[in-house]
Amino acid sequence: MVTTPRLFVDAPLSEGAELILPREQAHYLVNVMRREAGSPVRVFNGRDGEWQTIVADASRKGATLQVEARLREQIGVPPLRLCFAPVKKARTDFIVEKATELGVAIIQPVITRRTQSERVRTDRLLTLATEAAEQTERLCLPEVSEPVTLERLLAGWPQGQRLIFCDEAGEGEGAWGGPEGRARPMADMLQGETDPSGPWTILIGPEGGFDEAERAHLRSLSFVRSVTLGPRILRADTAAVAALTLWQAALGDWR
């Protein structure tokens, strides 16, 4: 079975339009995928849906696509943001890739007091997200935001947006459970949510977890839902996938 290549293009899409591919995409299409003139290619730009094109010209120097017909109308993803503390390079890459696959709208690196990897190249992360979107049939790219400190993130919190704080400690004071309440399992919290609409954010901590001052501050905020992800301590990349999966199954576009 021959797979039709699928590419993200940063250009308007309409019937009859001509697309001149950047060098990297032309190399991938011609030299890696071995596509020639007349070969079909699917493209999307995050605005105009998905379109069928054909290779109009292909050479070692470049490639041009001719847009033929729309295959799918534009659809978005749920208003879900993932905030996570960057970890080791390979694991951070994994988090970004899986967040894209799982339908996250915004990917936000967050610097906490125990964050060990503060240098984040958002341009490289966006490249990873683009490749993941191409492979998983998304019609849009996630926004990859510049890193921000936890303090700044919380100080500028958008009105009406709720934050799911994945608390590895799982106990203590919190707005969700009351003055003496424990953090609830995330699945139970989502099932009991009476107003699931509107934007949500999931917050995943660093290796070693949040420190006590950060945890206490998070639990004191009215928009925070303090939850656990089960009886085991999860790695940050595992926790991100688990939390996103639970949210999509309960409130997202999996239903």
Side-chain angles (χ1 to χ4, degrees), residues 90-107:
R91 293 183 182 178
T92 292
D93 292 353
F94 178 88
I95 290 172
V96 171
E97 178 183 89
K98 300 311 171 187
T100 304
E101 294 180 16
L102 290 167
V104 168
I106 302 172
I107 297 172

Side-chain angles (χ1 to χ4, degrees), residues 229-251:
L229 294 173
R232 290 166 291 279
I233 299 297
L234 305 180
R235 288 191 337 191
D237 48 346
T238 306
V241 171
L244 293 173
T245 299
L246 287 169
W247 189 91
Q248 279 285 25
L251 304 179

Side-chain angles (χ1 to χ4, degrees), residues 90-220:
R91 293 183 182 178
T92 292
D93 292 353
F94 178 88
I95 290 172
V96 171
E97 178 183 89
K98 300 311 171 187
T100 304
E101 294 180 16
L102 290 167
V104 168
I106 302 172
I107 297 172
Q108 173 69 71
V110 177
I111 307 303
T112 69
R113 295 180 183 178
R114 292 177 179 169
T115 298
Q116 298 179 10
S117 302
E118 296 187 6
R119 184 174 182 271
V120 179
R121 284 188 53 192
T122 53
D123 58 337
R124 191 178 64 80
L125 297 184
L126 182 58
T127 297
L128 291 171
T130 300
E131 293 172 354
E134 290 173 342
Q135 295 168 6
T136 55
E137 300 295 323
R138 275 185 69 147
L139 290 177
C140 61
L141 301 185
E143 175 187 329
V144 180
S145 303
E146 291 295 328
V148 64
T149 64
L150 180 62
E151 291 82 1
R152 183 175 178 184
L153 176 78
L154 298 175
W157 197 257
Q159 185 175 1
Q161 185 168 147
R162 286 153 291 183
L163 185 149
I164 299 174
F165 163 39
C166 296
D167 183 4
E168 73 281 356
E171 61 183 359
E173 296 184 1
W176 176 259
E180 298 179 355
R182 295 174 60 86
R184 297 178 62 183
M186 183 170 174
D188 291 350
M189 185 278 289
L190 293 172
Q191 290 177 0
E193 181 61 42
T194 58
D195 181 20
S197 61
W200 287 79
T201 293
I202 292 173
L203 175 63
I204 304 294
E207 294 174 319
F210 297 96
D211 75 6
E212 287 305 317
E214 291 172 329
R215 187 175 290 113
H217 181 48
L218 282 162
R219 289 171 176 159
S220 72

Side-chain angles (χ1 to χ4, degrees), residues 63-89:
T64 303
L65 304 179
Q66 188 76 31
V67 181
E68 292 191 324
R70 195 196 316 261
L71 299 174
R72 288 192 287 165
E73 296 289 338
Q74 183 67 35
I75 56 173
V77 293
L80 176 62
R81 174 170 61 162
L82 173 66
C83 294
F84 73 99
V87 287
K88 294 178 181 178
K89 178 177 178 293

Side-chain angles (χ1 to χ4, degrees), residues 5-11 13 19 21-22 25 28 41-50 65 74 126-127 129-135 138-142:
R6 185 171 188 267
L7 301 176
F8 172 82
V9 295
D10 187 15
L13 295 173
L19 305 174
L21 295 181
Q25 285 187 322
Y28 168 77
V41 179
R42 292 185 294 152
V43 299
F44 67 104
N45 64 2
R47 304 183 298 274
D48 302 319
E50 182 177 68
L65 304 179
Q74 183 67 35
L126 182 58
T127 297
T130 300
E131 293 172 354
E134 290 173 342
Q135 295 168 6
R138 275 185 69 147
L139 290 177
C140 61
L141 301 185

